[in-house]
Amino acid sequence: MTNCTSNIAHFPRCKSRQVQADFTGGDITSNAGELLLRQLDRKLQLSKALAKIINDPRDTARCLHKTETVVKQRLYVLVLGYEDLNDHQQLRYDLALQTATDSEHQLASQSTLCRFEKHANGEQAVQMHEILIEQFLASFRKPPKKNLVPG
């Protein structure tokens, strides 16, 4: 019987980092779903749209992490079920998360993320929700037959 499955799955590069899943060892993560989130986000441009809304008062010349990278970091780990900022003390070193956010270095710390989130206001939250609603509605080829009512 011929084995038609590939032992290696290739993903787009992250700068100088080649990304592949080959199941033979090496750097291991239990959060490889982040790479799929990266692909989806590249298609939907969700993190880019959210980053444009957020008022980031940091001095960009003195920042290690770009606004869009911080948004990606927080968004991706929320999707994976890591709600607490405490989780970022370990996740910031995760190679899969670094790759998913297009970074080759450690990501933002818990305290950086906390300060970043405190700058958001109610108006920005409404704008972010509007983007999410637009993304949801755009996922339909034609309007749903039933009215969409928040529950």
Side-chain angles (χ1 to χ4, degrees):
M1 178 185 272
T2 304
N3 183 358
C4 297
T5 59
S6 173
N7 292 331
I8 299 175
H10 295 277
F11 293 89
R13 297 182 71 83
C14 173
K15 299 182 179 159
S16 67
R17 186 180 294 154
Q18 181 180 354
V19 183
Q20 66 184 30
D22 68 7
F23 308 101
T24 61
D27 292 316
I28 298 174
T29 183
S30 61
N31 296 319
E34 293 161 330
L35 300 175
L36 297 174
L37 289 173
R38 174 188 186 207
Q39 293 303 104
L40 181 61
D41 190 28
R42 283 182 172 184
K43 181 177 180 177
L44 298 176
Q45 299 289 301
L46 183 60
S47 60
K48 185 175 284 194
L50 294 173
K52 286 179 183 177
I53 290 172
I54 295 174
N55 178 28
D56 188 358
R58 300 177 302 160
D59 179 3
T60 56
R62 300 174 73 190
C63 291
L64 296 175
H65 312 288
K66 295 179 184 176
T67 302
E68 188 174 342
T69 304
V70 174
V71 169
K72 285 179 182 181
Q73 178 182 351
R74 190 67 174 119
L75 180 65
Y76 295 177
V77 298
L78 282 170
V79 171
L80 291 171
Y82 296 101
E83 298 174 7
D84 296 330
L85 288 176
N86 296 345
D87 297 323
H88 289 271
Q89 288 307 98
Q90 294 297 322
L91 291 171
R92 65 190 295 218
Y93 300 104
D94 186 273
L95 289 175
L97 181 58
Q98 290 173 5
T99 302
T101 59
D102 296 312
S103 177
E104 292 182 303
H105 308 288
Q106 72 183 19
L107 297 170
S109 67
Q110 170 191 3
S111 56
T112 299
L113 291 167
C114 183
R115 286 190 303 271
F116 183 77
E117 288 183 0
K118 286 188 178 219
H119 290 293
N121 60 36
E123 183 180 326
Q124 292 169 345
V126 169
Q127 291 173 337
M128 286 187 246
H129 280 91
E130 288 172 352
I131 287 174
L132 294 174
I133 291 168
E134 288 172 18
Q135 287 282 346
F136 174 73
L137 294 175
S139 70
F140 292 95
R141 280 191 231 156
K142 54 185 179 178
K145 293 181 181 179
K146 294 182 178 182
N147 289 336
L148 301 173
V149 180

